[in-house]
């Protein structure tokens, strides 16, 4: 394993754990830790950004070019993840299983569209 991959794996894991713990703290009312959860979540997001920058530097990669395709892929990824999450909420939290499954499948379809959007379709 390359040193850059190991560093990215460790930092990425720590950032995701901090983010997930922060979101749990913010959304579970029994914990009474909304403000602390927001702080943990923001620290996790910041550490994730630092991880991405550090990994790209260690791999000697240029910053990603921002063009219409990159922006569209980012918007589609966020929209697909949010749609999938809303579908899960419909199913598990609000007890509307059929509608949740349909909304979740739409989110999965949007996320699957990211593959040809980013990689393209070749013969």
């Amino acid at each position: 394993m390359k040193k850059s991959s190991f560093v990215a794996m460790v930092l990425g894991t720590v950032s995701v754990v901090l983010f997930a713990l922060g979101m749990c703290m913010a959304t579970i009312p029994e914990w009474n830790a909304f403000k602390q959860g927001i702080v943990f979540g923001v620290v996790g997001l910041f550490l994730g950004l630092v991880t991405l920058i550090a990994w790209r530097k260690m791999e000697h990669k240029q910053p990603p070019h921002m063009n219409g395709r990159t922006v569209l892929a980012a918007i589609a990824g966020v929209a697909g993840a949010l749609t999938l999450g809303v579908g899960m909420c419909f199913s598990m939290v609000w007890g509307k299983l059929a509608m949740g499954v349909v909304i979740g499948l739409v989110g999965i379809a949007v996320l699957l569209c990211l593959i040809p959007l980013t990689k393209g379709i070749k013969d």
Side-chain angles (χ1 to χ4, degrees):
M1 176 180 275
K2 291 172 40 176
K3 182 179 177 182
S4 61
S5 298
F6 180 73
V7 168
M9 180 182 66
V10 170
L11 286 175
T13 302
V14 170
S15 69
V16 168
V17 167
L18 284 174
F19 180 75
L21 180 62
M23 293 303 98
C24 287
M25 290 168 69
T27 57
I28 298 175
E30 290 84 15
W31 289 11
N32 293 323
F34 181 78
K35 290 180 185 176
Q36 297 91 337
I38 297 297
V39 171
F40 268 67
V42 169
V43 168
L45 285 175
F46 179 73
L47 188 57
L49 182 62
V50 168
T51 301
L52 180 66
I53 292 169
W55 179 76
R56 289 190 73 85
K57 273 195 172 278
M58 290 176 82
E59 290 287 321
H60 305 292
K61 293 187 176 201
Q62 297 295 325
H65 300 289
M66 296 305 279
N67 56 18
R69 191 174 187 178
T70 305
V71 172
L72 180 64
I75 290 171
V78 168
L82 286 174
T83 306
L84 179 58
V86 168
M88 291 176 66
C89 286
F90 266 88
S91 296
M92 296 188 301
V93 177
W94 300 318
K96 299 182 188 263
L97 182 66
M99 186 180 294
V101 168
V102 170
I103 294 172
L105 287 175
V106 169
I108 290 171
V110 171
L111 290 173
L112 285 175
C113 289
L114 284 173
I115 296 170
L117 182 64
T118 57
K119 297 291 183 185
I121 298 175
K122 298 178 180 127
D123 287 331

